[in-house]
Amino acid sequence: MKKTLILSFLAIATSTLLNCSSDNTPDVESSFFSQYDNRNFEMGFSTWPYAPTVASVNNTYDFIEANTDVYSEHLDLSVPWDAWMNNTELPTAFTDEIISRKNRKIANAKLAVSVSFLNLSRDDIATEYDGSTPTYTALNDQAIEDAYFKHLVYITNELNPDYLIVAIEGNELLVHDPDKWEQYKLLMSNIRTRIKEEFPSMPISESMTLHNLYNPTVDSPNIYINEVVSYANSHDFVAISFYPFFKGLSTEEDFQNAFDFLHEKITKPIAFAETSHLSEDLTVDSFDLFIPGNEAEQKDYLETLLTNAQEENYLYVIWWAYRDYDELWETFPDEVKDLGKLWISTGILNEDGAEKEALESWEIAFKK
């Protein structure tokens, strides 16, 4: 930004020295977001920390407080099914997690809470705290519904969000275990109805992955797209999870094509519940995966995202992690270490806290 201002000053000074009239002065190249007087959507991050320390958690909340007007508590956790079903004491691992987030609630920012009904593989319900999966006949069993409803009510009462996402990346179930999809829809319809009765003014949604909706690699893609879009448009707002590098998208044109597809299909207000992009190459040998990335590409995606948010009047945008989390990743259990590596370099600060190119773009838009 400072460089742009200096160049602008030099251009004006040179023009004056050459006695050029103001009518003939060339236009100074406009910077990102300069065409907008005010920002009409909210911007924020999830509270995902960069290290396994209290200091990291505190620093994350401090950064969020200074650089956002909305933030996300992303609860992709186990569910204490047994306690909810049998009215027994809740696991301290669960209650401590919720209390910690409640105690750090940011007063001057809106809060979006996302809760996962599905496991990390998105092919079954979330596990119990001991790693087991409760027995059920169908996803919409009354016992499952009642337990999950209690779970959501407890979290909502404790955290008092402005937006509630009652399931994370629900369309992934249709990809990974389509036989459960109709059961899932029946369950979630009942859940949303009951939550709305409990919290009438709460905007409620379920997040969907754009990277597995745009040009999906499924049988009968048009049927799949129409099914997911119809379902998403039945919610109060459409919550999007989007990681364009999962789809091999790397240019401004690639990004914009995905956004255009989204805008053509969606009729409800849009919120990006989680998104980010690589700032360096990603290699995961066990997945036989290599995805190139760099800071300029990450900045291009962020600017494309924020411009679309402005032009299409999104509710909010959540960038997943504000800082690369190499130190936290080192502590991951072996069974999730490769999965956890996928987003490791998607922050707008690097693992040492140094600024990346995308940070300036974030600050320009945020200050509007």
Side-chain angles (χ1 to χ4, degrees), residues 47 57-58 61-62 64-65 68 70-73 97-113 155-163 202:
T47 58
V57 174
N58 290 339
Y61 277 88
D62 288 345
I64 288 171
E65 185 169 15
T68 72
V70 65
Y71 72 105
S72 169
E73 292 290 8
E97 183 74 32
I98 301 303
I99 291 169
S100 174
R101 295 173 190 253
K102 178 181 179 179
N103 289 342
R104 288 184 169 88
K105 188 170 184 183
I106 298 170
N108 296 321
K110 289 186 178 180
L111 172 61
V113 168
I155 290 169
T156 304
N157 279 330
E158 290 298 307
L159 298 182
N160 191 26
D162 298 279
Y163 306 98
M202 179 72 67

Side-chain angles (χ1 to χ4, degrees), residues 165-239:
I165 295 172
V166 298
I168 296 172
E169 300 180 339
N171 63 310
E172 296 291 301
L173 183 65
L174 182 55
V175 174
H176 298 300
D177 196 343
D179 290 342
K180 295 175 181 173
W181 177 247
E182 291 301 322
Q183 301 168 17
Y184 170 84
K185 289 197 300 179
L186 289 170
L187 170 73
M188 285 298 157
S189 176
N190 291 342
I191 288 289
R192 293 196 311 273
T193 298
R194 293 174 68 177
I195 291 292
K196 186 65 77 172
E197 290 172 352
E198 194 80 13
F199 306 98
S201 63
M202 179 72 67
I204 299 170
S205 189
E206 303 163 40
S207 73
M208 301 288 156
T209 56
L210 179 56
H211 45 268
N212 273 343
L213 183 60
Y214 173 63
N215 291 335
T217 53
V218 297
D219 296 334
S220 305
N222 288 334
I223 294 174
Y224 166 80
I225 290 170
N226 290 337
E227 171 65 19
V228 174
V229 166
S230 175
Y231 185 65
N233 281 328
S234 70
H235 303 155
D236 291 345
F237 65 98
V238 174

Side-chain angles (χ1 to χ4, degrees), residues 303-319:
E303 292 187 353
T304 305
L305 168 69
L306 297 180
T307 300
N308 278 273
Q310 180 76 7
E311 291 290 333
E312 299 295 329
N313 295 303
Y314 290 0
L315 293 175
Y316 64 84
V317 167
I318 297 292
W319 193 264

Side-chain angles (χ1 to χ4, degrees), residues 106-122:
I106 298 170
N108 296 321
K110 289 186 178 180
L111 172 61
V113 168
S114 296
V115 185
S116 188
F117 173 75
L118 299 173
N119 60 15
L120 292 176
S121 299
R122 308 297 191 233

